[in-house]
Amino acid sequence: QVQLVESGGGLVQAGDSLRLSCAASGRTFSRNAMGWFRQAPGKEREFVSVIRWTGSITYYAESVKGRFTISRDNHKDTVYLQMNSLKPEDTAVYYCAALPDTLWRGSDYYTRTESYDYWGQGTQVTVSS
């Protein structure tokens, strides 16, 4: 079991930055790939970024590439999402999620919501124009 708690959301202006954190509890955090997803009102939950358990492999959605950076600290059981140059279209509830990362399954696998076993409750990010 892995429990996930996100923090760091808030209301900012376009162009500002935020750093989201996701604190995990559970013995196997370091062996989980950790993903960030987001869901805007009236839209489906979408992939934002993922970091594999070693921390050396990351993927990003095209919409955030170059602006967001995912990282993890396995000693602190925490994954981060640094969000720079925020835009109004980044407004959403941001969720972190975990999946056991024992085998390479192809990059697409890590972008699907159904691949993840554990989810946090989400943190709201609102970007005003």
Side-chain angles (χ1 to χ4, degrees), residues 6-44:
E6 303 95 335
S7 62
L11 171 63
V12 297
Q13 293 187 331
D16 286 351
S17 298
L18 277 176
R19 188 175 81 154
L20 304 183
S21 299
C22 174
S25 60
R27 294 185 300 160
T28 58
F29 171 81
S30 63
R31 294 290 178 170
N32 282 275
M34 299 298 298
W36 285 98
F37 290 75
R38 66 186 182 187
Q39 188 166 18
K43 295 188 176 181
E44 292 191 355

PDB file of all heavy atoms in Angstrom, residues 6-44:
ATOM      1  N   GLU A   6      -0.799  15.275  -1.672  1.00  0.00           N
ATOM      2  CA  GLU A   6      -0.254  16.396  -2.439  1.00  0.00           C
ATOM      3  C   GLU A   6      -0.362  17.700  -1.645  1.00  0.00           C
ATOM      4  O   GLU A   6      -1.254  17.859  -0.813  1.00  0.00           O
ATOM      5  CB  GLU A   6      -1.009  16.586  -3.760  1.00  0.00           C
ATOM      6  CG  GLU A   6      -1.040  15.381  -4.667  1.00  0.00           C
ATOM      7  CD  GLU A   6      -2.292  14.542  -4.500  1.00  0.00           C
ATOM      8  OE1 GLU A   6      -2.892  14.607  -3.398  1.00  0.00           O
ATOM      9  OE2 GLU A   6      -2.674  13.834  -5.439  1.00  0.00           O
ATOM     10  N   SER A   7       0.532  18.627  -1.957  1.00  0.00           N
ATOM     11  CA  SER A   7       0.494  19.965  -1.375  1.00  0.00           C
ATOM     12  C   SER A   7       1.178  20.927  -2.324  1.00  0.00           C
ATOM     13  O   SER A   7       1.857  20.508  -3.270  1.00  0.00           O
ATOM     14  CB  SER A   7       1.167  19.994  -0.001  1.00  0.00           C
ATOM     15  OG  SER A   7       2.534  19.650  -0.117  1.00  0.00           O
ATOM     16  N   GLY A   8       0.973  22.228  -2.053  1.00  0.00           N
ATOM     17  CA  GLY A   8       1.679  23.240  -2.823  1.00  0.00           C
ATOM     18  C   GLY A   8       0.844  23.974  -3.848  1.00  0.00           C
ATOM     19  O   GLY A   8       1.337  24.900  -4.499  1.00  0.00           O
ATOM     20  N   GLY A   9      -0.397  23.562  -4.009  1.00  0.00           N
ATOM     21  CA  GLY A   9      -1.253  24.254  -4.963  1.00  0.00           C
ATOM     22  C   GLY A   9      -1.627  25.635  -4.465  1.00  0.00           C
ATOM     23  O   GLY A   9      -1.359  26.008  -3.324  1.00  0.00           O
ATOM     24  N   GLY A  10      -2.263  26.404  -5.338  1.00  0.00           N
ATOM     25  CA  GLY A  10      -2.683  27.750  -4.942  1.00  0.00           C
ATOM     26  C   GLY A  10      -3.138  28.558  -6.123  1.00  0.00           C
ATOM     27  O   GLY A  10      -3.274  28.053  -7.244  1.00  0.00           O
ATOM     28  N   LEU A  11      -3.368  29.840  -5.846  1.00  0.00           N
ATOM     29  CA  LEU A  11      -3.798  30.783  -6.868  1.00  0.00           C
ATOM     30  C   LEU A  11      -2.611  31.675  -7.225  1.00  0.00           C
ATOM     31  O   LEU A  11      -2.024  32.318  -6.340  1.00  0.00           O
ATOM     32  CB  LEU A  11      -4.945  31.634  -6.334  1.00  0.00           C
ATOM     33  CG  LEU A  11      -5.381  32.821  -7.199  1.00  0.00           C
ATOM     34  CD1 LEU A  11      -5.914  32.350  -8.542  1.00  0.00           C
ATOM     35  CD2 LEU A  11      -6.431  33.651  -6.461  1.00  0.00           C
ATOM     36  N   VAL A  12      -2.240  31.676  -8.503  1.00  0.00           N
ATOM     37  CA  VAL A  12      -1.119  32.482  -8.972  1.00  0.00           C
ATOM     38  C   VAL A  12      -1.514  33.194 -10.257  1.00  0.00           C
ATOM     39  O   VAL A  12      -2.559  32.893 -10.844  1.00  0.00           O
ATOM     40  CB  VAL A  12       0.140  31.621  -9.224  1.00  0.00           C
ATOM     41  CG1 VAL A  12       0.635  30.974  -7.938  1.00  0.00           C
ATOM     42  CG2 VAL A  12      -0.129  30.566 -10.292  1.00  0.00           C
ATOM     43  N   GLN A  13      -0.661  34.097 -10.680  1.00  0.00           N
ATOM     44  CA  GLN A  13      -0.886  34.797 -11.939  1.00  0.00           C
ATOM     45  C   GLN A  13      -0.102  34.132 -13.066  1.00  0.00           C
ATOM     46  O   GLN A  13       0.882  33.417 -12.820  1.00  0.00           O
ATOM     47  CB  GLN A  13      -0.462  36.256 -11.801  1.00  0.00           C
ATOM     48  CG  GLN A  13      -1.333  37.053 -10.843  1.00  0.00           C
ATOM     49  CD  GLN A  13      -0.987  38.528 -10.856  1.00  0.00           C
ATOM     50  OE1 GLN A  13       0.151  38.912 -11.113  1.00  0.00           O
ATOM     51  NE2 GLN A  13      -1.981  39.371 -10.577  1.00  0.00           N
ATOM     52  N   ALA A  14      -0.551  34.372 -14.264  1.00  0.00           N
ATOM     53  CA  ALA A  14       0.153  33.833 -15.425  1.00  0.00           C
ATOM     54  C   ALA A  14       1.614  34.276 -15.391  1.00  0.00           C
ATOM     55  O   ALA A  14       1.915  35.438 -15.096  1.00  0.00           O
ATOM     56  CB  ALA A  14      -0.513  34.297 -16.710  1.00  0.00           C
ATOM     57  N   GLY A  15       2.499  33.328 -15.667  1.00  0.00           N
ATOM     58  CA  GLY A  15       3.928  33.594 -15.643  1.00  0.00           C
ATOM     59  C   GLY A  15       4.599  33.241 -14.334  1.00  0.00           C
ATOM     60  O   GLY A  15       5.841  33.169 -14.271  1.00  0.00           O
ATOM     61  N   ASP A  16       3.808  33.034 -13.301  1.00  0.00           N
ATOM     62  CA  ASP A  16       4.370  32.678 -11.995  1.00  0.00           C
ATOM     63  C   ASP A  16       4.785  31.210 -11.953  1.00  0.00           C
ATOM     64  O   ASP A  16       4.558  30.448 -12.899  1.00  0.00           O
ATOM     65  CB  ASP A  16       3.345  32.953 -10.896  1.00  0.00           C
ATOM     66  CG  ASP A  16       3.185  34.432 -10.604  1.00  0.00           C
ATOM     67  OD1 ASP A  16       3.992  35.242 -11.123  1.00  0.00           O
ATOM     68  OD2 ASP A  16       2.241  34.792  -9.873  1.00  0.00           O
ATOM     69  N   SER A  17       5.354  30.847 -10.812  1.00  0.00           N
ATOM     70  CA  SER A  17       5.796  29.466 -10.591  1.00  0.00           C
ATOM     71  C   SER A  17       5.165  28.900  -9.338  1.00  0.00           C
ATOM     72  O   SER A  17       4.791  29.642  -8.420  1.00  0.00           O
ATOM     73  CB  SER A  17       7.327  29.417 -10.452  1.00  0.00           C
ATOM     74  OG  SER A  17       7.970  29.861 -11.614  1.00  0.00           O
ATOM     75  N   LEU A  18       5.046  27.587  -9.313  1.00  0.00           N
ATOM     76  CA  LEU A  18       4.616  26.838  -8.141  1.00  0.00           C
ATOM     77  C   LEU A  18       5.390  25.535  -8.098  1.00  0.00           C
ATOM     78  O   LEU A  18       5.781  25.010  -9.152  1.00  0.00           O
ATOM     79  CB  LEU A  18       3.122  26.502  -8.207  1.00  0.00           C
ATOM     80  CG  LEU A  18       2.079  27.520  -7.766  1.00  0.00           C
ATOM     81  CD1 LEU A  18       0.684  26.976  -8.025  1.00  0.00           C
ATOM     82  CD2 LEU A  18       2.252  27.896  -6.307  1.00  0.00           C
ATOM     83  N   ARG A  19       5.575  25.037  -6.890  1.00  0.00           N
ATOM     84  CA  ARG A  19       6.152  23.710  -6.754  1.00  0.00           C
ATOM     85  C   ARG A  19       5.183  22.837  -5.969  1.00  0.00           C
ATOM     86  O   ARG A  19       4.865  23.138  -4.822  1.00  0.00           O
ATOM     87  CB  ARG A  19       7.512  23.728  -6.060  1.00  0.00           C
ATOM     88  CG  ARG A  19       8.177  22.351  -6.105  1.00  0.00           C
ATOM     89  CD  ARG A  19       9.572  22.341  -5.528  1.00  0.00           C
ATOM     90  NE  ARG A  19       9.574  22.254  -4.067  1.00  0.00           N
ATOM     91  CZ  ARG A  19      10.579  21.744  -3.354  1.00  0.00           C
ATOM     92  NH1 ARG A  19      11.657  21.297  -3.975  1.00  0.00           N
ATOM     93  NH2 ARG A  19      10.516  21.732  -2.038  1.00  0.00           N
ATOM     94  N   LEU A  20       4.736  21.786  -6.611  1.00  0.00           N
ATOM     95  CA  LEU A  20       3.880  20.819  -5.950  1.00  0.00           C
ATOM     96  C   LEU A  20       4.728  19.722  -5.326  1.00  0.00           C
ATOM     97  O   LEU A  20       5.778  19.355  -5.857  1.00  0.00           O
ATOM     98  CB  LEU A  20       2.905  20.191  -6.941  1.00  0.00           C
ATOM     99  CG  LEU A  20       2.008  21.145  -7.742  1.00  0.00           C
ATOM    100  CD1 LEU A  20       1.047  20.354  -8.616  1.00  0.00           C
ATOM    101  CD2 LEU A  20       1.270  22.101  -6.834  1.00  0.00           C
ATOM    102  N   SER A  21       4.254  19.231  -4.198  1.00  0.00           N
ATOM    103  CA  SER A  21       4.916  18.114  -3.535  1.00  0.00           C
ATOM    104  C   SER A  21       3.904  16.997  -3.342  1.00  0.00           C
ATOM    105  O   SER A  21       2.705  17.245  -3.182  1.00  0.00           O
ATOM    106  CB  SER A  21       5.460  18.533  -2.174  1.00  0.00           C
ATOM    107  OG  SER A  21       6.415  19.560  -2.288  1.00  0.00           O
ATOM    108  N   CYS A  22       4.403  15.788  -3.347  1.00  0.00           N
ATOM    109  CA  CYS A  22       3.572  14.628  -3.070  1.00  0.00           C
ATOM    110  C   CYS A  22       4.342  13.744  -2.100  1.00  0.00           C
ATOM    111  O   CYS A  22       5.367  13.169  -2.469  1.00  0.00           O
ATOM    112  CB  CYS A  22       3.251  13.881  -4.355  1.00  0.00           C
ATOM    113  SG  CYS A  22       2.366  12.330  -4.099  1.00  0.00           S
ATOM    114  N   ALA A  23       3.850  13.692  -0.880  1.00  0.00           N
ATOM    115  CA  ALA A  23       4.489  12.880   0.148  1.00  0.00           C
ATOM    116  C   ALA A  23       3.847  11.506   0.172  1.00  0.00           C
ATOM    117  O   ALA A  23       2.622  11.387   0.206  1.00  0.00           O
ATOM    118  CB  ALA A  23       4.348  13.550   1.501  1.00  0.00           C
ATOM    119  N   ALA A  24       4.682  10.500   0.153  1.00  0.00           N
ATOM    120  CA  ALA A  24       4.192   9.130   0.120  1.00  0.00           C
ATOM    121  C   ALA A  24       4.536   8.415   1.418  1.00  0.00           C
ATOM    122  O   ALA A  24       5.563   8.675   2.039  1.00  0.00           O
ATOM    123  CB  ALA A  24       4.803   8.379  -1.051  1.00  0.00           C
ATOM    124  N   SER A  25       3.672   7.530   1.811  1.00  0.00           N
ATOM    125  CA  SER A  25       3.959   6.635   2.924  1.00  0.00           C
ATOM    126  C   SER A  25       3.748   5.217   2.432  1.00  0.00           C
ATOM    127  O   SER A  25       2.913   4.960   1.579  1.00  0.00           O
ATOM    128  CB  SER A  25       3.059   6.940   4.120  1.00  0.00           C
ATOM    129  OG  SER A  25       1.688   6.787   3.768  1.00  0.00           O
ATOM    130  N   GLY A  26       4.513   4.319   2.963  1.00  0.00           N
ATOM    131  CA  GLY A  26       4.478   2.952   2.478  1.00  0.00           C
ATOM    132  C   GLY A  26       5.885   2.483   2.204  1.00  0.00           C
ATOM    133  O   GLY A  26       6.751   3.271   1.855  1.00  0.00           O
ATOM    134  N   ARG A  27       6.103   1.226   2.343  1.00  0.00           N
ATOM    135  CA  ARG A  27       7.463   0.704   2.313  1.00  0.00           C
ATOM    136  C   ARG A  27       8.089   0.688   0.927  1.00  0.00           C
ATOM    137  O   ARG A  27       9.300   0.621   0.800  1.00  0.00           O
ATOM    138  CB  ARG A  27       7.480  -0.716   2.865  1.00  0.00           C
ATOM    139  CG  ARG A  27       7.128  -0.821   4.333  1.00  0.00           C
ATOM    140  CD  ARG A  27       7.304  -2.247   4.803  1.00  0.00           C
ATOM    141  NE  ARG A  27       6.421  -3.142   4.048  1.00  0.00           N
ATOM    142  CZ  ARG A  27       6.611  -4.436   3.957  1.00  0.00           C
ATOM    143  NH1 ARG A  27       7.650  -5.000   4.534  1.00  0.00           N
ATOM    144  NH2 ARG A  27       5.767  -5.188   3.273  1.00  0.00           N
ATOM    145  N   THR A  28       7.262   0.739  -0.114  1.00  0.00           N
ATOM    146  CA  THR A  28       7.805   0.500  -1.446  1.00  0.00           C
ATOM    147  C   THR A  28       7.855   1.749  -2.312  1.00  0.00           C
ATOM    148  O   THR A  28       7.909   1.660  -3.521  1.00  0.00           O
ATOM    149  CB  THR A  28       6.969  -0.563  -2.181  1.00  0.00           C
ATOM    150  OG1 THR A  28       5.611  -0.105  -2.260  1.00  0.00           O
ATOM    151  CG2 THR A  28       7.038  -1.878  -1.454  1.00  0.00           C
ATOM    152  N   PHE A  29       7.866   2.926  -1.685  1.00  0.00           N
ATOM    153  CA  PHE A  29       7.868   4.158  -2.473  1.00  0.00           C
ATOM    154  C   PHE A  29       8.990   4.173  -3.482  1.00  0.00           C
ATOM    155  O   PHE A  29       8.796   4.539  -4.643  1.00  0.00           O
ATOM    156  CB  PHE A  29       7.983   5.376  -1.564  1.00  0.00           C
ATOM    157  CG  PHE A  29       8.210   6.659  -2.323  1.00  0.00           C
ATOM    158  CD1 PHE A  29       7.143   7.313  -2.909  1.00  0.00           C
ATOM    159  CD2 PHE A  29       9.486   7.194  -2.480  1.00  0.00           C
ATOM    160  CE1 PHE A  29       7.337   8.489  -3.624  1.00  0.00           C
ATOM    161  CE2 PHE A  29       9.684   8.371  -3.196  1.00  0.00           C
ATOM    162  CZ  PHE A  29       8.612   9.026  -3.764  1.00  0.00           C
ATOM    163  N   SER A  30      10.177   3.799  -3.065  1.00  0.00           N
ATOM    164  CA  SER A  30      11.333   3.943  -3.946  1.00  0.00           C
ATOM    165  C   SER A  30      11.250   3.046  -5.164  1.00  0.00           C
ATOM    166  O   SER A  30      11.959   3.267  -6.142  1.00  0.00           O
ATOM    167  CB  SER A  30      12.621   3.667  -3.175  1.00  0.00           C
ATOM    168  OG  SER A  30      12.634   2.334  -2.717  1.00  0.00           O
ATOM    169  N   ARG A  31      10.395   2.041  -5.148  1.00  0.00           N
ATOM    170  CA  ARG A  31      10.263   1.142  -6.282  1.00  0.00           C
ATOM    171  C   ARG A  31       9.050   1.464  -7.140  1.00  0.00           C
ATOM    172  O   ARG A  31       8.668   0.668  -8.000  1.00  0.00           O
ATOM    173  CB  ARG A  31      10.159  -0.295  -5.791  1.00  0.00           C
ATOM    174  CG  ARG A  31      11.435  -0.781  -5.132  1.00  0.00           C
ATOM    175  CD  ARG A  31      12.554  -0.961  -6.138  1.00  0.00           C
ATOM    176  NE  ARG A  31      13.802  -1.392  -5.514  1.00  0.00           N
ATOM    177  CZ  ARG A  31      14.859  -1.805  -6.169  1.00  0.00           C
ATOM    178  NH1 ARG A  31      14.846  -1.845  -7.494  1.00  0.00           N
ATOM    179  NH2 ARG A  31      15.947  -2.177  -5.536  1.00  0.00           N
ATOM    180  N   ASN A  32       8.449   2.595  -6.912  1.00  0.00           N
ATOM    181  CA  ASN A  32       7.290   3.015  -7.691  1.00  0.00           C
ATOM    182  C   ASN A  32       7.661   4.123  -8.663  1.00  0.00           C
ATOM    183  O   ASN A  32       8.411   5.043  -8.311  1.00  0.00           O
ATOM    184  CB  ASN A  32       6.185   3.552  -6.777  1.00  0.00           C
ATOM    185  CG  ASN A  32       5.404   2.456  -6.106  1.00  0.00           C
ATOM    186  OD1 ASN A  32       4.462   1.917  -6.658  1.00  0.00           O
ATOM    187  ND2 ASN A  32       5.813   2.101  -4.901  1.00  0.00           N
ATOM    188  N   ALA A  33       7.132   4.020  -9.863  1.00  0.00           N
ATOM    189  CA  ALA A  33       7.132   5.192 -10.726  1.00  0.00           C
ATOM    190  C   ALA A  33       6.082   6.152 -10.180  1.00  0.00           C
ATOM    191  O   ALA A  33       5.020   5.727  -9.709  1.00  0.00           O
ATOM    192  CB  ALA A  33       6.796   4.805 -12.160  1.00  0.00           C
ATOM    193  N   MET A  34       6.396   7.444 -10.228  1.00  0.00           N
ATOM    194  CA  MET A  34       5.487   8.456  -9.683  1.00  0.00           C
ATOM    195  C   MET A  34       5.052   9.387 -10.807  1.00  0.00           C
ATOM    196  O   MET A  34       5.894   9.951 -11.516  1.00  0.00           O
ATOM    197  CB  MET A  34       6.181   9.244  -8.586  1.00  0.00           C
ATOM    198  CG  MET A  34       6.613   8.397  -7.404  1.00  0.00           C
ATOM    199  SD  MET A  34       5.240   7.604  -6.560  1.00  0.00           S
ATOM    200  CE  MET A  34       4.327   9.051  -6.005  1.00  0.00           C
ATOM    201  N   GLY A  35       3.762   9.548 -10.934  1.00  0.00           N
ATOM    202  CA  GLY A  35       3.232  10.392 -11.996  1.00  0.00           C
ATOM    203  C   GLY A  35       2.443  11.563 -11.451  1.00  0.00           C
ATOM    204  O   GLY A  35       1.948  11.531 -10.326  1.00  0.00           O
ATOM    205  N   TRP A  36       2.357  12.601 -12.259  1.00  0.00           N
ATOM    206  CA  TRP A  36       1.467  13.730 -12.003  1.00  0.00           C
ATOM    207  C   TRP A  36       0.440  13.786 -13.140  1.00  0.00           C
ATOM    208  O   TRP A  36       0.805  13.692 -14.322  1.00  0.00           O
ATOM    209  CB  TRP A  36       2.232  15.045 -11.943  1.00  0.00           C
ATOM    210  CG  TRP A  36       3.016  15.252 -10.690  1.00  0.00           C
ATOM    211  CD1 TRP A  36       4.351  15.021 -10.508  1.00  0.00           C
ATOM    212  CD2 TRP A  36       2.519  15.745  -9.444  1.00  0.00           C
ATOM    213  NE1 TRP A  36       4.701  15.331  -9.228  1.00  0.00           N
ATOM    214  CE2 TRP A  36       3.602  15.781  -8.545  1.00  0.00           C
ATOM    215  CE3 TRP A  36       1.266  16.162  -8.991  1.00  0.00           C
ATOM    216  CZ2 TRP A  36       3.470  16.216  -7.230  1.00  0.00           C
ATOM    217  CZ3 TRP A  36       1.136  16.590  -7.676  1.00  0.00           C
ATOM    218  CH2 TRP A  36       2.226  16.614  -6.820  1.00  0.00           C
ATOM    219  N   PHE A  37      -0.800  13.932 -12.750  1.00  0.00           N
ATOM    220  CA  PHE A  37      -1.898  14.108 -13.686  1.00  0.00           C
ATOM    221  C   PHE A  37      -2.662  15.356 -13.277  1.00  0.00           C
ATOM    222  O   PHE A  37      -2.495  15.864 -12.168  1.00  0.00           O
ATOM    223  CB  PHE A  37      -2.830  12.892 -13.656  1.00  0.00           C
ATOM    224  CG  PHE A  37      -2.223  11.644 -14.237  1.00  0.00           C
ATOM    225  CD1 PHE A  37      -1.275  10.923 -13.525  1.00  0.00           C
ATOM    226  CD2 PHE A  37      -2.590  11.192 -15.489  1.00  0.00           C
ATOM    227  CE1 PHE A  37      -0.704   9.772 -14.050  1.00  0.00           C
ATOM    228  CE2 PHE A  37      -2.028  10.049 -16.028  1.00  0.00           C
ATOM    229  CZ  PHE A  37      -1.076   9.340 -15.303  1.00  0.00           C
ATOM    230  N   ARG A  38      -3.518  15.822 -14.155  1.00  0.00           N
ATOM    231  CA  ARG A  38      -4.359  16.962 -13.799  1.00  0.00           C
ATOM    232  C   ARG A  38      -5.730  16.819 -14.440  1.00  0.00           C
ATOM    233  O   ARG A  38      -5.884  16.151 -15.466  1.00  0.00           O
ATOM    234  CB  ARG A  38      -3.704  18.281 -14.219  1.00  0.00           C
ATOM    235  CG  ARG A  38      -3.561  18.472 -15.721  1.00  0.00           C
ATOM    236  CD  ARG A  38      -2.758  19.741 -15.999  1.00  0.00           C
ATOM    237  NE  ARG A  38      -2.628  19.988 -17.438  1.00  0.00           N
ATOM    238  CZ  ARG A  38      -1.875  20.947 -17.959  1.00  0.00           C
ATOM    239  NH1 ARG A  38      -1.163  21.751 -17.154  1.00  0.00           N
ATOM    240  NH2 ARG A  38      -1.827  21.121 -19.266  1.00  0.00           N
ATOM    241  N   GLN A  39      -6.683  17.474 -13.813  1.00  0.00           N
ATOM    242  CA  GLN A  39      -8.049  17.423 -14.319  1.00  0.00           C
ATOM    243  C   GLN A  39      -8.685  18.798 -14.180  1.00  0.00           C
ATOM    244  O   GLN A  39      -8.840  19.307 -13.065  1.00  0.00           O
ATOM    245  CB  GLN A  39      -8.872  16.373 -13.576  1.00  0.00           C
ATOM    246  CG  GLN A  39     -10.234  16.136 -14.171  1.00  0.00           C
ATOM    247  CD  GLN A  39     -10.887  14.877 -13.631  1.00  0.00           C
ATOM    248  OE1 GLN A  39     -10.500  14.355 -12.585  1.00  0.00           O
ATOM    249  NE2 GLN A  39     -11.870  14.368 -14.352  1.00  0.00           N
ATOM    250  N   ALA A  40      -9.018  19.372 -15.315  1.00  0.00           N
ATOM    251  CA  ALA A  40      -9.706  20.654 -15.338  1.00  0.00           C
ATOM    252  C   ALA A  40     -11.208  20.411 -15.322  1.00  0.00           C
ATOM    253  O   ALA A  40     -11.686  19.330 -15.696  1.00  0.00           O
ATOM    254  CB  ALA A  40      -9.304  21.431 -16.589  1.00  0.00           C
ATOM    255  N   PRO A  41     -11.991  21.395 -14.894  1.00  0.00           N
ATOM    256  CA  PRO A  41     -13.447  21.220 -14.845  1.00  0.00           C
ATOM    257  C   PRO A  41     -14.009  20.821 -16.201  1.00  0.00           C
ATOM    258  O   PRO A  41     -13.704  21.440 -17.225  1.00  0.00           O
ATOM    259  CB  PRO A  41     -13.948  22.602 -14.419  1.00  0.00           C
ATOM    260  CG  PRO A  41     -12.815  23.199 -13.677  1.00  0.00           C
ATOM    261  CD  PRO A  41     -11.577  22.698 -14.357  1.00  0.00           C
ATOM    262  N   GLY A  42     -14.818  19.775 -16.203  1.00  0.00           N
ATOM    263  CA  GLY A  42     -15.459  19.325 -17.427  1.00  0.00           C
ATOM    264  C   GLY A  42     -14.568  18.547 -18.369  1.00  0.00           C
ATOM    265  O   GLY A  42     -14.990  18.208 -19.481  1.00  0.00           O
ATOM    266  N   LYS A  43     -13.346  18.265 -17.944  1.00  0.00           N
ATOM    267  CA  LYS A  43     -12.412  17.532 -18.804  1.00  0.00           C
ATOM    268  C   LYS A  43     -11.952  16.257 -18.129  1.00  0.00           C
ATOM    269  O   LYS A  43     -12.063  16.099 -16.913  1.00  0.00           O
ATOM    270  CB  LYS A  43     -11.200  18.410 -19.139  1.00  0.00           C
ATOM    271  CG  LYS A  43     -11.541  19.633 -19.974  1.00  0.00           C
ATOM    272  CD  LYS A  43     -10.281  20.345 -20.421  1.00  0.00           C
ATOM    273  CE  LYS A  43     -10.614  21.512 -21.329  1.00  0.00           C
ATOM    274  NZ  LYS A  43      -9.386  22.212 -21.801  1.00  0.00           N
ATOM    275  N   GLU A  44     -11.424  15.366 -18.940  1.00  0.00           N
ATOM    276  CA  GLU A  44     -10.898  14.127 -18.391  1.00  0.00           C
ATOM    277  C   GLU A  44      -9.539  14.369 -17.741  1.00  0.00           C
ATOM    278  O   GLU A  44      -8.831  15.336 -18.071  1.00  0.00           O
ATOM    279  CB  GLU A  44     -10.759  13.083 -19.507  1.00  0.00           C
ATOM    280  CG  GLU A  44     -12.096  12.604 -20.053  1.00  0.00           C
ATOM    281  CD  GLU A  44     -11.945  11.390 -20.945  1.00  0.00           C
ATOM    282  OE1 GLU A  44     -10.797  10.983 -21.218  1.00  0.00           O
ATOM    283  OE2 GLU A  44     -12.985  10.846 -21.367  1.00  0.00           O
TER     284      GLU A  44
END
